[in-house]
Amino acid sequence: LNSRNNGLLRLNADLSTHKAMRMVAVTATQIPGDVILGPSYQTKNGGKFALIATETNLAGGEGVMVATIDLGGFFATLIRDAIPAGLNVRLIERDNEAQADTLYKPIIGSLDPPANASLTKIFRITRGQAKWNLHWDIMPHYRNGPADNSGTLVQFGGSALTLIIVAVLGYYWFQTSRFRQMVNERTAELSRNSMLVQLTMDTIDQGFAVWNADRRLVIWSKKCFEFWYEPQKILRLGMPMSALLKHLAINHAFGPGDPDEIVTRELERSAAAGERSNETFTMPGNRQIHVRRFPLENGGHVAVYTDVTENRRATSDLEHIRDGLEERVRDRTEELREAKDAANFANQTKSEFLANMSHELRTPLNAIIGFTNAIQRKIGGETTPKQDEYLEDIETSAKQLLSIINDILDLSKFESKSVQPIRHKVNVQKMFENVKMLMLNRLSRKDIQLEMSINEEISHLYVDERMVKQILVNLISNAVKFSDSGSTVHVMCAQEDGNIAISITDHGIGINEADMAKALTPFGQVDSALTRSRDGSGLGLPLSKALVEVHHGTLTVNSTPGVGTNVTIRFPNIS
């Protein structure tokens, strides 16, 4: 039940490699039911031990149960507690196979008796493989000096002590019987637990193998048979790793080469990798097997074998899919880049075309307006009332067309980012009065009031005055256009979160939220019965937004159908 892990008896040790153990084990199987005393042996640190063994039948399997006797400790206690003064005890072992000069080997004491010994009596102990001579040396001071009956006393005393040693062996036999019962019970329990462990391991879709510190096989699962090239005929408990490696080498698991050389190489490689390592090897049919090793506390390791063929194949497929997707993304990105370049080129071409066409159209329109004014002033002679009516229609249409062309030209310039504001200090009150004067005719035609309110703290703006006037005219014109006669348009200028905010509010038809984005798009007129009845190019809001943004400002629109619209522009307060 207990042993020193660094001694001869240790877990998973191959006892047949030790001569003394092999001799006592063989004898115990030949003489069942008896306690066999085996030959002595000496440990590396000088300790002297002997072996005792008995044949056992544990959990349905034949075997040998072995224990060790510390001869040094046993005789030290014997000499101290049981041998009277004047007697010296020596234990000499006989080796019938040795040479004549080495036939006897001292175990306890020396080979020869002390020089002053009066008499020596020898008793032989032969039990199993033990071939011991127990020497009793009678010293001069034994019982106050030699006497005629000293030899008789020693003979009887030595015989008695020899019987004590034999009785000790009998005691060991009794303890062994008791121990056998305990081991049977413990073995049965371990067998049940081992069966559960084995069943559990065999149901898992992985291979498990436990190797001890001596690289001998302790336990394995059935799944290992697949990964070890079906080694059932050679597989056994305690099998050295070299035997399994040779089986694998013969089955070409490591490629071509001499099996013995491969075993040596693989053992060295495994030792260099350590007990904590992992690797992947390839079996026939391109099966990929991953092996991971986990060290055990008392030496050795657990090896876990996993078939990762499908995982590797899936990973490879995913990599191919990923590469294909990346290539498609690259191709699509290139297509989008080309499409973007084409769109930019088309937009630039459009802007240049509109700018050129606007310039080409403005020249004849200005001539039409000029000649119309000349005819209205009777420079070429008198006109009839009907002609005056026609001339007024021509002038109105020409001016409207010129206004649209100017808006297109301005918007084209902003889209090409060729226009930057020329900022200077502008008087806000004066700018608002000029805008109101420009709007008087349009306001009077629809009978709409324009109310302007400026916060007293605001006196100047640092902006491009022409652009801001155009913004205000566009936004107020929109408010007037979509308001009913008799209503009022409100314009307010105030400070707001560090900005200068100018808001234009009307009580007209309003804009649906779904149409808001369209209203801010060039030429994006909101298509409804009410809006289509009113003139306009749909450039007022987009152009105003562009003019505000070149000032690093913002334009926001809030509108409710049937209630009205509020447009607010915000400029950074630059003084």
PDB file of all heavy atoms in Angstrom, residues 439-458:
ATOM      1  N   MET A 439     -37.011  92.596 -52.275  1.00  0.00           N
ATOM      2  CA  MET A 439     -38.185  91.735 -52.227  1.00  0.00           C
ATOM      3  C   MET A 439     -39.509  92.498 -52.296  1.00  0.00           C
ATOM      4  O   MET A 439     -40.584  91.871 -52.310  1.00  0.00           O
ATOM      5  CB  MET A 439     -38.158  90.900 -50.924  1.00  0.00           C
ATOM      6  CG  MET A 439     -36.977  89.970 -50.793  1.00  0.00           C
ATOM      7  SD  MET A 439     -36.924  88.735 -52.114  1.00  0.00           S
ATOM      8  CE  MET A 439     -38.491  87.950 -51.928  1.00  0.00           C
ATOM      9  N   LEU A 440     -39.486  93.844 -52.362  1.00  0.00           N
ATOM     10  CA  LEU A 440     -40.726  94.635 -52.265  1.00  0.00           C
ATOM     11  C   LEU A 440     -41.732  94.277 -53.354  1.00  0.00           C
ATOM     12  O   LEU A 440     -42.923  94.095 -53.084  1.00  0.00           O
ATOM     13  CB  LEU A 440     -40.394  96.129 -52.308  1.00  0.00           C
ATOM     14  CG  LEU A 440     -39.814  96.712 -51.008  1.00  0.00           C
ATOM     15  CD1 LEU A 440     -39.491  98.200 -51.174  1.00  0.00           C
ATOM     16  CD2 LEU A 440     -40.824  96.525 -49.870  1.00  0.00           C
ATOM     17  N   ASN A 441     -41.274  94.199 -54.618  1.00  0.00           N
ATOM     18  CA  ASN A 441     -42.213  93.911 -55.710  1.00  0.00           C
ATOM     19  C   ASN A 441     -42.891  92.557 -55.510  1.00  0.00           C
ATOM     20  O   ASN A 441     -44.105  92.417 -55.688  1.00  0.00           O
ATOM     21  CB  ASN A 441     -41.482  93.942 -57.048  1.00  0.00           C
ATOM     22  CG  ASN A 441     -41.090  95.356 -57.458  1.00  0.00           C
ATOM     23  OD1 ASN A 441     -41.716  96.330 -57.015  1.00  0.00           O
ATOM     24  ND2 ASN A 441     -40.054  95.487 -58.273  1.00  0.00           N
ATOM     25  N   ARG A 442     -42.076  91.535 -55.173  1.00  0.00           N
ATOM     26  CA  ARG A 442     -42.642  90.195 -55.001  1.00  0.00           C
ATOM     27  C   ARG A 442     -43.604  90.158 -53.815  1.00  0.00           C
ATOM     28  O   ARG A 442     -44.641  89.494 -53.857  1.00  0.00           O
ATOM     29  CB  ARG A 442     -41.505  89.187 -54.812  1.00  0.00           C
ATOM     30  CG  ARG A 442     -41.950  87.741 -54.848  1.00  0.00           C
ATOM     31  CD  ARG A 442     -40.775  86.785 -54.956  1.00  0.00           C
ATOM     32  NE  ARG A 442     -40.020  87.034 -56.179  1.00  0.00           N
ATOM     33  CZ  ARG A 442     -38.998  86.285 -56.577  1.00  0.00           C
ATOM     34  NH1 ARG A 442     -38.593  85.257 -55.831  1.00  0.00           N
ATOM     35  NH2 ARG A 442     -38.358  86.560 -57.701  1.00  0.00           N
ATOM     36  N   LEU A 443     -43.254  90.882 -52.723  1.00  0.00           N
ATOM     37  CA  LEU A 443     -44.132  90.916 -51.553  1.00  0.00           C
ATOM     38  C   LEU A 443     -45.458  91.614 -51.865  1.00  0.00           C
ATOM     39  O   LEU A 443     -46.531  91.165 -51.441  1.00  0.00           O
ATOM     40  CB  LEU A 443     -43.422  91.635 -50.395  1.00  0.00           C
ATOM     41  CG  LEU A 443     -42.221  90.909 -49.777  1.00  0.00           C
ATOM     42  CD1 LEU A 443     -41.445  91.853 -48.866  1.00  0.00           C
ATOM     43  CD2 LEU A 443     -42.687  89.694 -48.971  1.00  0.00           C
ATOM     44  N   SER A 444     -45.362  92.714 -52.606  1.00  0.00           N
ATOM     45  CA  SER A 444     -46.584  93.479 -52.897  1.00  0.00           C
ATOM     46  C   SER A 444     -47.506  92.719 -53.836  1.00  0.00           C
ATOM     47  O   SER A 444     -48.731  92.790 -53.713  1.00  0.00           O
ATOM     48  CB  SER A 444     -46.207  94.848 -53.483  1.00  0.00           C
ATOM     49  OG  SER A 444     -45.516  94.681 -54.713  1.00  0.00           O
ATOM     50  N   ARG A 445     -46.924  91.954 -54.804  1.00  0.00           N
ATOM     51  CA  ARG A 445     -47.764  91.209 -55.742  1.00  0.00           C
ATOM     52  C   ARG A 445     -48.618  90.167 -55.024  1.00  0.00           C
ATOM     53  O   ARG A 445     -49.734  89.874 -55.436  1.00  0.00           O
ATOM     54  CB  ARG A 445     -46.901  90.527 -56.809  1.00  0.00           C
ATOM     55  CG  ARG A 445     -46.404  91.467 -57.889  1.00  0.00           C
ATOM     56  CD  ARG A 445     -45.992  90.697 -59.147  1.00  0.00           C
ATOM     57  NE  ARG A 445     -44.910  89.763 -58.873  1.00  0.00           N
ATOM     58  CZ  ARG A 445     -43.628  90.057 -59.018  1.00  0.00           C
ATOM     59  NH1 ARG A 445     -43.257  91.282 -59.408  1.00  0.00           N
ATOM     60  NH2 ARG A 445     -42.715  89.158 -58.762  1.00  0.00           N
ATOM     61  N   LYS A 446     -48.096  89.578 -53.908  1.00  0.00           N
ATOM     62  CA  LYS A 446     -48.861  88.544 -53.190  1.00  0.00           C
ATOM     63  C   LYS A 446     -49.467  89.058 -51.894  1.00  0.00           C
ATOM     64  O   LYS A 446     -50.075  88.295 -51.147  1.00  0.00           O
ATOM     65  CB  LYS A 446     -47.953  87.343 -52.882  1.00  0.00           C
ATOM     66  CG  LYS A 446     -47.570  86.548 -54.119  1.00  0.00           C
ATOM     67  CD  LYS A 446     -47.060  85.154 -53.776  1.00  0.00           C
ATOM     68  CE  LYS A 446     -48.150  84.325 -53.167  1.00  0.00           C
ATOM     69  NZ  LYS A 446     -47.740  82.911 -52.960  1.00  0.00           N
ATOM     70  N   ASP A 447     -49.280  90.385 -51.653  1.00  0.00           N
ATOM     71  CA  ASP A 447     -49.843  90.979 -50.427  1.00  0.00           C
ATOM     72  C   ASP A 447     -49.367  90.210 -49.181  1.00  0.00           C
ATOM     73  O   ASP A 447     -50.157  89.769 -48.346  1.00  0.00           O
ATOM     74  CB  ASP A 447     -51.370  90.987 -50.486  1.00  0.00           C
ATOM     75  CG  ASP A 447     -51.984  91.796 -49.340  1.00  0.00           C
ATOM     76  OD1 ASP A 447     -51.270  92.677 -48.801  1.00  0.00           O
ATOM     77  OD2 ASP A 447     -53.115  91.504 -48.971  1.00  0.00           O
ATOM     78  N   ILE A 448     -48.039  90.048 -49.074  1.00  0.00           N
ATOM     79  CA  ILE A 448     -47.429  89.350 -47.942  1.00  0.00           C
ATOM     80  C   ILE A 448     -46.531  90.323 -47.194  1.00  0.00           C
ATOM     81  O   ILE A 448     -45.772  91.091 -47.800  1.00  0.00           O
ATOM     82  CB  ILE A 448     -46.624  88.118 -48.423  1.00  0.00           C
ATOM     83  CG1 ILE A 448     -47.584  87.049 -48.978  1.00  0.00           C
ATOM     84  CG2 ILE A 448     -45.774  87.534 -47.310  1.00  0.00           C
ATOM     85  CD1 ILE A 448     -46.898  85.845 -49.543  1.00  0.00           C
ATOM     86  N   GLN A 449     -46.620  90.301 -45.860  1.00  0.00           N
ATOM     87  CA  GLN A 449     -45.816  91.157 -45.016  1.00  0.00           C
ATOM     88  C   GLN A 449     -44.484  90.466 -44.674  1.00  0.00           C
ATOM     89  O   GLN A 449     -44.436  89.252 -44.476  1.00  0.00           O
ATOM     90  CB  GLN A 449     -46.559  91.463 -43.714  1.00  0.00           C
ATOM     91  CG  GLN A 449     -47.862  92.201 -43.901  1.00  0.00           C
ATOM     92  CD  GLN A 449     -47.629  93.589 -44.474  1.00  0.00           C
ATOM     93  OE1 GLN A 449     -46.698  94.301 -44.081  1.00  0.00           O
ATOM     94  NE2 GLN A 449     -48.485  93.989 -45.421  1.00  0.00           N
ATOM     95  N   LEU A 450     -43.404  91.235 -44.614  1.00  0.00           N
ATOM     96  CA  LEU A 450     -42.085  90.711 -44.218  1.00  0.00           C
ATOM     97  C   LEU A 450     -41.645  91.430 -42.953  1.00  0.00           C
ATOM     98  O   LEU A 450     -41.444  92.647 -42.969  1.00  0.00           O
ATOM     99  CB  LEU A 450     -41.072  90.920 -45.347  1.00  0.00           C
ATOM    100  CG  LEU A 450     -39.637  90.463 -45.044  1.00  0.00           C
ATOM    101  CD1 LEU A 450     -39.589  88.946 -44.828  1.00  0.00           C
ATOM    102  CD2 LEU A 450     -38.686  90.856 -46.194  1.00  0.00           C
ATOM    103  N   GLU A 451     -41.538  90.677 -41.864  1.00  0.00           N
ATOM    104  CA  GLU A 451     -41.104  91.253 -40.593  1.00  0.00           C
ATOM    105  C   GLU A 451     -39.690  90.774 -40.286  1.00  0.00           C
ATOM    106  O   GLU A 451     -39.403  89.566 -40.318  1.00  0.00           O
ATOM    107  CB  GLU A 451     -42.051  90.828 -39.471  1.00  0.00           C
ATOM    108  CG  GLU A 451     -43.444  91.420 -39.598  1.00  0.00           C
ATOM    109  CD  GLU A 451     -44.315  91.097 -38.399  1.00  0.00           C
ATOM    110  OE1 GLU A 451     -43.818  90.362 -37.492  1.00  0.00           O
ATOM    111  OE2 GLU A 451     -45.473  91.557 -38.370  1.00  0.00           O
ATOM    112  N   MET A 452     -38.785  91.716 -39.976  1.00  0.00           N
ATOM    113  CA  MET A 452     -37.383  91.399 -39.681  1.00  0.00           C
ATOM    114  C   MET A 452     -37.045  91.826 -38.271  1.00  0.00           C
ATOM    115  O   MET A 452     -37.416  92.926 -37.846  1.00  0.00           O
ATOM    116  CB  MET A 452     -36.444  92.074 -40.679  1.00  0.00           C
ATOM    117  CG  MET A 452     -36.557  91.540 -42.091  1.00  0.00           C
ATOM    118  SD  MET A 452     -35.305  92.247 -43.189  1.00  0.00           S
ATOM    119  CE  MET A 452     -35.456  91.198 -44.623  1.00  0.00           C
ATOM    120  N   SER A 453     -36.335  90.965 -37.540  1.00  0.00           N
ATOM    121  CA  SER A 453     -35.957  91.257 -36.155  1.00  0.00           C
ATOM    122  C   SER A 453     -34.499  90.882 -35.964  1.00  0.00           C
ATOM    123  O   SER A 453     -34.090  89.744 -36.266  1.00  0.00           O
ATOM    124  CB  SER A 453     -36.848  90.459 -35.182  1.00  0.00           C
ATOM    125  OG  SER A 453     -36.396  90.609 -33.861  1.00  0.00           O
ATOM    126  N   ILE A 454     -33.704  91.846 -35.442  1.00  0.00           N
ATOM    127  CA  ILE A 454     -32.270  91.610 -35.232  1.00  0.00           C
ATOM    128  C   ILE A 454     -31.951  91.805 -33.759  1.00  0.00           C
ATOM    129  O   ILE A 454     -32.329  92.834 -33.167  1.00  0.00           O
ATOM    130  CB  ILE A 454     -31.415  92.569 -36.086  1.00  0.00           C
ATOM    131  CG1 ILE A 454     -31.777  92.409 -37.576  1.00  0.00           C
ATOM    132  CG2 ILE A 454     -29.934  92.313 -35.874  1.00  0.00           C
ATOM    133  CD1 ILE A 454     -31.094  93.429 -38.472  1.00  0.00           C
ATOM    134  N   ASN A 455     -31.272  90.852 -33.146  1.00  0.00           N
ATOM    135  CA  ASN A 455     -30.853  90.970 -31.754  1.00  0.00           C
ATOM    136  C   ASN A 455     -29.932  92.165 -31.603  1.00  0.00           C
ATOM    137  O   ASN A 455     -29.045  92.406 -32.435  1.00  0.00           O
ATOM    138  CB  ASN A 455     -30.124  89.677 -31.326  1.00  0.00           C
ATOM    139  CG  ASN A 455     -29.899  89.632 -29.817  1.00  0.00           C
ATOM    140  OD1 ASN A 455     -29.222  90.470 -29.243  1.00  0.00           O
ATOM    141  ND2 ASN A 455     -30.470  88.617 -29.186  1.00  0.00           N
ATOM    142  N   GLU A 456     -30.138  92.948 -30.504  1.00  0.00           N
ATOM    143  CA  GLU A 456     -29.361  94.175 -30.295  1.00  0.00           C
ATOM    144  C   GLU A 456     -27.869  93.895 -30.140  1.00  0.00           C
ATOM    145  O   GLU A 456     -27.042  94.767 -30.418  1.00  0.00           O
ATOM    146  CB  GLU A 456     -29.877  94.896 -29.042  1.00  0.00           C
ATOM    147  CG  GLU A 456     -31.304  95.410 -29.178  1.00  0.00           C
ATOM    148  CD  GLU A 456     -31.770  96.107 -27.906  1.00  0.00           C
ATOM    149  OE1 GLU A 456     -30.981  96.090 -26.927  1.00  0.00           O
ATOM    150  OE2 GLU A 456     -32.885  96.646 -27.908  1.00  0.00           O
ATOM    151  N   GLU A 457     -27.511  92.677 -29.692  1.00  0.00           N
ATOM    152  CA  GLU A 457     -26.094  92.364 -29.493  1.00  0.00           C
ATOM    153  C   GLU A 457     -25.363  92.122 -30.807  1.00  0.00           C
ATOM    154  O   GLU A 457     -24.137  92.078 -30.839  1.00  0.00           O
ATOM    155  CB  GLU A 457     -25.958  91.116 -28.609  1.00  0.00           C
ATOM    156  CG  GLU A 457     -26.545  91.289 -27.205  1.00  0.00           C
ATOM    157  CD  GLU A 457     -26.419  90.013 -26.390  1.00  0.00           C
ATOM    158  OE1 GLU A 457     -25.915  89.009 -26.953  1.00  0.00           O
ATOM    159  OE2 GLU A 457     -26.801  90.028 -25.215  1.00  0.00           O
ATOM    160  N   ILE A 458     -26.118  91.933 -31.895  1.00  0.00           N
ATOM    161  CA  ILE A 458     -25.491  91.626 -33.184  1.00  0.00           C
ATOM    162  C   ILE A 458     -25.508  92.886 -34.037  1.00  0.00           C
ATOM    163  O   ILE A 458     -26.573  93.438 -34.344  1.00  0.00           O
ATOM    164  CB  ILE A 458     -26.241  90.494 -33.903  1.00  0.00           C
ATOM    165  CG1 ILE A 458     -26.269  89.239 -33.030  1.00  0.00           C
ATOM    166  CG2 ILE A 458     -25.598  90.193 -35.249  1.00  0.00           C
ATOM    167  CD1 ILE A 458     -27.132  88.149 -33.603  1.00  0.00           C
TER     168      ILE A 458
END
